[in-house]
Amino acid sequence: EDFPDMNRKLRKEFEALRLAYVSGRAKAIKRADIEHNSESIMEHDPKFAKVFLEEKKNLLEKMSLIVA
């Protein structure tokens, strides 16, 4: 929403890079949020879950690269 001219993939990539530099506490909260949302999305929208889980896998990989 903040970048209406970017496609979803590019927005998610920027989000992942931004979250790589947040505090360890913020990363822990984001991981918990991803886990909670993943359960709900897999249950209620299995088709979108494939996209969501791939995006979150990339996000978690990027978040683990930088220790803030």
Side-chain angles (χ1 to χ4, degrees):
E1 295 176 5
D2 291 337
F3 302 99
D5 296 332
M6 289 184 193
N7 66 36
R8 180 181 179 90
K9 185 174 182 173
L10 189 55
R11 287 193 317 269
K12 295 300 178 181
E13 187 62 29
F14 275 100
E15 175 188 21
L17 292 173
R18 180 184 68 81
L19 289 169
Y21 291 92
V22 299
S23 70
R25 183 168 188 243
K27 287 178 182 181
I29 292 167
K30 185 62 178 176
R31 283 186 199 98
D33 181 54
I34 289 170
E35 183 177 328
H36 178 264
N37 292 343
S38 296
E39 293 171 5
S40 177
I41 289 171
M42 286 187 300
E43 180 181 344
H44 298 287
D45 194 350
K47 185 176 178 183
F48 177 66
K50 293 177 185 179
V51 172
F52 179 84
L53 293 174
E54 188 60 36
E55 289 172 349
K56 299 314 162 195
K57 178 182 171 193
N58 178 52
L59 172 61
L60 292 170
E61 287 172 358
K62 295 273 187 327
M63 284 173 49
S64 70
L65 293 176
I66 307 294
V67 178

